[in-house]
Amino acid sequence: MMKLDIAQEVGQTLSPNPQFSRNNWLELQGEWRFAADPENEGIKKGWFKEFPAGDSIDVPYVQESDRNSTHTEYASVVWYEREVSLDEQQRNKTILLHFEAVDYKTTVWINGFQAGEHEGGHTPFKVSYKPEGNEETVTVTVRAEDFNTTDQPVGKQSWKEDNFLCWYSRTTGIWQTVWMEFVNDFYLESVQMTPDIDTGQVSVEAFSRIPEQYQKRTSLTMTVYLHGKQITEVTVNNLSPYTKTTLTVDSDFPDFRLAYWTPESPELYDIIFTLEADGEVEDNVASYFGMRKVSVKDNEILLNNEKFYQKLILDQGYYKDTLMTAPDASAELEDIEKIKAMGFNGLRKHQTVGTHRFLYLCDKLGLVTWAEMPSFYKFHSGSVGRACSEWQEIIQKHYNHPSTIIYTIMNESWGVNEVYSNKQQQHFVDALYSLTKALDPMRLVIGNDGWEQTKTDILTIHDYTQDGEKLNEAYRSKEAFVEGAPAKTSNKYTYAQGYKYEGQPVLLSEFGGVAFTEQTGSPEEDWGYGDRPESKEEAWERISALITAVMDNEHFCGFCYTQLSDVQQEVNGLLTHDHDYKFDPEKVKKLLNQKHTRGFIFE
């Protein structure tokens, strides 16, 4: 079979979850029946058995988006319904119905019977259903409620009636991919793969759904390929629901070399999981992993035991007509290609969670990513519980993606506004830091990004000073800024009370934010940091001076520039609202590839 290039793969054959892909899947994008429920009376009226006639919606685009702007009645409770036709083979299988993200609380019915519930607006979940008899169709009904309160994780969604500052239009209901898979009773639920480049091994933890009658007669075979050539194969017999084993992907052959994952050379190992019972194949899942390691030595961040200078861009994940939902996977691919064309080697996905396809494209094309918890804004026991639950699901989603190297838990003390001196809030951030380390020991963790740090692997600072010379001066003395309040745009201390600098790498994780647009609109309503440049040339001079000041600073091991694209009223992107270039990408790349004082040279 001829190998497709990445653009063809995205346009024709890309699985909804390339990290855990079966052949037998059915994507449920497109037209669904839709009903607003402003009085919250749908359950009482039995809409899950008899759906009200009238409206429709284009899933996964939400009612607030221009893509679905024909709806006349907005509601915080919305309903969806769709009939799905099953072929003869599918009628004899268990249906796994996947929702990649529904904001915020979801109830799912299949053929009028409740199949599952989920709380959390940014994370995947699935429900299962076993058709009875010879059902030719199944009816999927979904109820989503999202009151967008400040004690649930909302990220950059405005909780006010209108947008303000850097908070944007809200999102209600289904906003990422929905799809079905069709499996036997004995199937693979999930896997976790932990690479170790120092030993040339990968640890595999497999979670299986095993009917009782199969437990003594089962096997799981894991076959690993690199560039189409089989590297190793391991079989485990007599499975339990949880199975752990170790695969060696190194070799003593003279011509073999362990393939590392890096942004410059994003090598991926393919792995096929085959479940069998009595010698018959019951499930087959295709996946992949990358052999890469993230660590800290002295005050440097290392990738595969080598110093790694991060040149990141802040990605809010918003699109002009579809809000938090990308128009399609091709739009996600185009963003990644533009980020790389401008010379960045990574991105910080800010206050949202990328799709399976987006993360796969970062893995495939070589772009490091930071995963982040969307913030809540009111601290109490309920919001703490919601954040802990959703954060664990975010970690699970990113675990197998080699491109994800850093987790950001809190941002700028949002939701923990008194963390500087409040011990309860400090304990919460520290607890999530430790929980993250327990669930994923491979990655670096930032407790409270920007200022007022508690436990953290990296000292990250936000500073939107608009003058390159002033930015350089503020960070000239490391002793002064690690214990002080260097960012005059916030006047916040670097560390919370009771915490101090312990030699961590230092990274300027938000800066820039130069507001400039040539598009027509209402300049008085546009928002950005600092005074507005009067011309494109003045905007570029400011951007260039700020980036140069950061790259020339001997104390920084990287940076994250704000931001990728304009978003609604915020116009400080390097791309427009339509995700077109504002500045020549070659000029940006040349700027980012300059030699600087930490000794890194970019070609």
Side-chain angles (χ1 to χ4, degrees):
M1 179 177 176
M2 184 177 66
K3 183 175 177 61
L4 297 175
D5 66 26
I6 193 69
Q8 290 176 311
E9 186 181 9
V10 166
Q12 298 176 24
T13 64
L14 191 57
S15 161
N17 182 5
Q19 234 293 319
F20 196 82
S21 180
R22 295 180 171 93
N23 289 330
N24 197 359
W25 54 269
L26 176 64
E27 198 160 4
L28 302 181
Q29 314 295 71
E31 185 176 338
W32 288 53
R33 290 186 284 275
F34 181 79
D37 190 4
E39 302 301 323
N40 197 10
E41 60 186 5
I43 292 178
K44 182 179 180 181
K45 290 187 174 182
W47 288 2
F48 51 89
K49 289 185 177 293
E50 187 173 348
F51 202 83
D55 213 347
S56 64
I57 194 168
D58 187 8
V59 168
Y61 311 104
V62 294
Q63 61 178 339
E64 295 93 339
S65 70
D66 289 345
R67 185 78 167 253
N68 278 314
S69 60
T70 57
H71 302 297
T72 57
E73 185 178 27
Y74 171 81
S76 294
V77 179
V78 292
W79 290 71
Y80 304 78
E81 187 171 88
R82 175 168 174 167
E83 289 182 356
V84 181
S85 297
L86 306 179
D87 63 29
E88 190 170 347
Q89 284 188 328
Q90 293 166 348
R91 294 171 205 165
N92 297 316
K93 302 287 188 178
T94 294
I95 296 172
L96 302 181
L97 175 59
H98 295 265
F99 295 86
E100 191 163 10
V102 184
D103 203 355
Y104 171 72
K105 188 175 181 179
T106 313
T107 307
V108 181
W109 292 263
I110 298 180
N111 288 350
F113 296 96
Q114 186 171 324
E117 292 182 308
H118 180 261
E119 183 172 348
H122 304 85
T123 49
F125 65 98
K126 66 178 182 288
V127 300
S128 63
Y129 175 78
K130 184 66 178 289
E132 296 181 2
N134 200 31
E135 298 175 51
E136 296 183 359
T137 64
V138 293
T139 300
V140 177
T141 309
V142 178
R143 176 187 180 273
E145 67 174 56
D146 180 19
F147 295 99
N148 211 52
T149 60
T150 54
D151 55 4
Q152 71 184 46
V154 296
K156 280 301 193 81
Q157 301 176 64
S158 173
W159 54 90
K160 300 181 180 180
E161 186 173 342
D162 298 312
N163 298 359
F164 67 101
L165 298 178
C166 58
W167 283 271
Y168 321 124
S169 294
R170 64 183 292 180
T171 287
T172 304
I174 300 171
W175 66 278
Q176 286 188 6
T177 308
V178 184
W179 76 99
M180 282 181 173
E181 292 178 301
F182 304 90
V183 297
N184 294 324
D185 294 338
F186 174 30
Y187 64 91
L188 192 62
E189 289 197 292
S190 64
V191 296
Q192 285 194 168
M193 295 174 284
T194 308
D196 185 344
I197 68 167
D198 297 323
T199 63
Q201 296 179 322
V202 57
S203 170
V204 178
E205 298 170 273
F207 300 83
S208 305
R209 179 64 61 90
I210 310 175
E212 185 175 351
Q213 67 271 25
Y214 288 152
Q215 289 187 8
K216 298 294 184 182
R217 301 176 281 113
T218 58
S219 67
L220 171 62
T221 298
M222 293 154 280
T223 311
V224 178
Y225 301 87
L226 179 64
H227 305 153
K229 180 181 179 181
Q230 183 173 321
I231 300 299
T232 190
E233 182 173 275
V234 173
T235 297
V236 179
N237 294 305
N238 299 328
L239 301 179
S240 62
Y242 169 75
T243 301
K244 184 175 182 179
T245 191
T246 299
L247 308 179
T248 298
V249 295
D250 205 348
S251 173
D252 294 329
F253 292 137
D255 62 344
F256 184 88
R257 183 181 178 186
L258 187 67
Y260 293 146
W261 186 95
T262 68
E264 297 78 21
S265 181
E267 296 280 8
L268 296 175
Y269 289 78
D270 296 309
I271 182 167
I272 305 297
F273 296 93
T274 305
L275 277 178
E276 294 187 17
D278 289 335
E280 297 291 329
V281 174
E282 296 286 336
D283 195 12
N284 195 272
V285 175
S287 186
Y288 63 88
F289 59 87
M291 295 301 291
R292 70 98 184 87
K293 173 184 176 183
V294 187
S295 58
V296 168
K297 183 177 181 181
D298 300 327
N299 61 346
E300 300 283 0
I301 295 174
L302 308 184
L303 182 65
N304 303 331
N305 299 326
E306 296 182 2
K307 289 197 297 184
F308 178 55
Y309 190 90
Q310 295 183 68
K311 300 176 291 179
L312 311 178
I313 193 159
L314 194 78
D315 180 9
Q316 308 273 15
Y318 270 77
Y319 295 84
K320 182 179 179 181
D321 297 325
T322 55
L323 302 182
M324 290 204 305
T325 308
D328 50 38
S330 295
E332 295 177 307
L333 172 61
E334 185 175 330
D335 279 352
I336 292 169
E337 289 177 331
K338 286 181 176 178
I339 290 170
K340 289 184 71 70
M342 289 188 288
F344 295 94
N345 59 18
L347 62 90
R348 176 182 170 199
K349 203 70 171 176
H350 188 43
Q351 292 293 297
T352 189
V353 177
T355 65
H356 290 300
R357 285 169 169 159
F358 179 84
L359 293 170
Y360 163 73
L361 292 172
C362 290
D363 294 339
K364 185 80 171 178
L365 297 178
L367 200 65
V368 301
T369 63
W370 290 18
E372 184 170 331
M373 177 70 206
S375 293
F376 62 89
Y377 297 91
K378 184 185 292 184
F379 185 88
H380 57 63
S381 59
S383 56
V384 165
R386 295 185 186 102
C388 287
S389 177
E390 194 163 351
W391 181 236
Q392 291 179 72
E393 294 176 340
I394 291 173
I395 293 171
Q396 183 179 11
K397 181 172 187 177
H398 290 83
Y399 191 95
N400 292 329
H401 288 284
S403 60
T404 302
I405 65 169
I406 290 172
Y407 291 124
T408 300
I409 300 171
M410 310 299 290
N411 180 71
E412 294 184 350
S413 304
W414 294 348
V416 286
N417 298 327
E418 289 78 44
V419 73
Y420 177 74
S421 57
N422 186 299
K423 291 296 183 183
Q424 184 181 10
Q425 294 183 6
Q426 291 176 4
H427 286 316
F428 167 65
V429 179
D430 289 350
L432 278 184
Y433 171 92
S434 296
L435 176 64
T436 306
K437 289 291 189 179
L439 293 173
D440 186 345
M442 293 187 292
R443 294 176 170 89
L444 304 182
V445 182
I446 300 165
N448 181 31
D449 190 61
W451 47 69
E452 298 175 334
Q453 293 276 5
T454 60
K455 284 186 178 180
T456 188
D457 293 332
I458 310 170
L459 172 54
T460 54
I461 299 171
H462 295 181
D463 192 330
Y464 284 104
T465 298
Q466 294 292 291
D467 184 291
E469 291 185 5
K470 291 181 179 179
L471 188 67
N472 183 46
E473 179 62 30
Y475 299 94
R476 186 166 293 165
S477 168
K478 186 174 184 179
E479 291 73 17
F481 75 74
V482 297
E483 298 297 342
K488 300 311 175 187
T489 49
S490 68
N491 290 318
K492 299 283 189 179
Y493 279 93
T494 302
Y495 280 93
Q497 284 184 344
Y499 298 83
K500 63 181 181 179
Y501 181 66
E502 297 178 340
Q504 295 97 329
V506 182
L507 195 146
L508 198 64
S509 57
E510 283 191 34
F511 81 107
V514 178
F516 172 75
T517 178
E518 293 179 313
Q519 295 178 326
T520 58
S522 304
E524 68 279 0
E525 297 178 2
D526 290 343
W527 184 86
Y529 295 94
D531 297 331
R532 182 70 57 85
E534 294 184 0
S535 67
K536 183 175 182 177
E537 290 72 26
E538 183 183 343
W540 175 250
E541 287 177 6
R542 187 185 301 179
I543 292 168
S544 179
L546 290 169
I547 291 178
T548 298
V550 174
M551 294 185 73
D552 279 347
N553 188 295
E554 64 178 350
H555 306 305
F556 294 140
C557 65
F559 62 83
C560 181
Y561 182 84
T562 302
Q563 60 187 11
L564 178 59
S565 71
D566 293 345
V567 180
Q568 297 186 344
Q569 74 274 8
E570 188 173 357
V571 294
N572 49 26
L574 295 183
L575 305 181
T576 68
H577 290 94
D578 294 313
H579 289 225
D580 296 326
Y581 291 116
K582 287 185 185 179
F583 307 97
D584 181 356
E586 286 297 325
K587 183 184 288 188
V588 181
K589 185 175 183 178
K590 183 177 180 180
L591 174 65
L592 266 59
N593 283 357
Q594 63 186 304
K595 181 178 179 180
H596 59 94
T597 55
R598 286 184 75 87
F600 296 86
I601 301 176
F602 303 107
E603 296 179 356

